């Protein structure tokens, strides 16, 4: 995992630069290129998933697992907001269940879930904090883990 420094072009605000960097990470997800995401991370990045700390090795392993279980995974950024040194993205994820997930073998079903990502950038454009929150309920219904009439 190498960190890169990405200065804001003279005509772009720091907010716009950070939003562009966040969207480039979304694009890397859509290409299945984890390095396209991790290259923007500071070496001492702090991750929090559902407010629980996660070290970078576990985060990358979870990302790889997600790509394996859901090939063709696609993130669609529905909105993006930058304030101060933070960028927040509201994302819809669609994929095909093509690999083992929570003990369930591939079903070939199309699935959807939702997530919020908050990224905090340093002055050099590296992500120093990453927070995520997932709403897996639609996907869990689609895969039969949860009754369809729940919420």
């Amino acid at each position: 995992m190498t960190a890169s420094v990405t200065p804001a072009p003279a005509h772009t605000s720091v907010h716009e630069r950070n939003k562009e960097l966040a969207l480039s990470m979304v694009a890397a997800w859509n290409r299945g290129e984890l390095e396209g995401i991790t290259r923007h991370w500071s070496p001492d990045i702090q991750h929090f998933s559902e407010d629980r700390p996660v070290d970078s090795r576990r985060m990358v392993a979870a990302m790889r697992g997600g790509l394996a279980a859901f090939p063709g995974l696609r993130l669609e950024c529905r909105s993006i907001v930058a304030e101060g040194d933070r960028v927040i993205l509201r994302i819809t994820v669609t994929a095909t269940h093509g690999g083992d997930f929570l003990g369930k073998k591939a079903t070939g079903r199309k699935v959807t879930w939702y997530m919020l990502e908050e990224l905090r950038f340093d002055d050099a454009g590296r992500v120093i904090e990453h927070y995520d929150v997932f709403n897996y309920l639609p996907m869990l219904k689609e895969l039969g883990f949860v009754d369809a009439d729940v919420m």
Side-chain angles (χ1 to χ4, degrees):
M1 181 169 33
T2 19
S4 62
V5 175
T6 310
H11 65 283
T12 304
S13 73
V14 171
H15 293 123
E16 290 304 313
R17 179 209 54 194
N18 291 348
K19 285 168 47 174
E20 288 173 14
L21 291 170
L23 290 173
S24 77
M25 288 184 268
V26 169
W29 255 115
N30 289 337
R31 293 188 305 272
E33 296 174 5
L34 295 184
E35 204 286 322
I37 299 165
T38 61
R39 72 182 173 94
H40 294 290
W41 293 356
S42 169
D44 58 349
I45 186 172
Q46 294 181 326
H47 299 279
F48 300 89
S49 186
E50 309 278 336
D51 277 339
R52 291 181 311 263
V54 178
D55 70 36
S56 288
R57 285 186 317 274
R58 287 190 59 215
M59 182 60 67
V60 170
M63 293 162 68
R64 279 196 182 100
L67 289 172
F70 299 100
L73 185 138
R74 181 106 182 121
L75 279 62
E76 180 182 349
C77 183
R78 299 293 185 141
S79 62
I80 183 169
V81 177
E83 183 175 314
D85 56 359
R86 297 174 188 272
V87 173
I88 298 175
L89 304 105
R90 182 175 54 92
I91 297 170
T92 298
V93 182
T94 55
T96 300
H97 179 217
D100 188 64
F101 178 71
L102 297 177
K104 189 175 206 68
K105 300 293 181 203
T107 63
R109 291 184 186 152
K110 301 287 185 193
V111 296
T112 303
W113 66 90
Y114 304 95
M115 58 191 280
L116 292 173
E117 293 277 330
E118 180 180 340
L119 305 170
R120 183 169 163 242
F121 290 86
D122 66 12
D123 291 339
R126 294 174 300 218
V127 180
I128 56 175
E129 290 178 2
H130 162 234
Y131 300 84
D132 58 37
V133 177
F134 295 92
N135 176 1
Y136 285 131
L137 187 58
M139 181 249 303
L140 295 173
K141 288 179 182 181
E142 291 160 346
L143 294 179
F145 285 105
V146 177
D147 290 335
D149 62 352
V150 172
M151 289 188 33

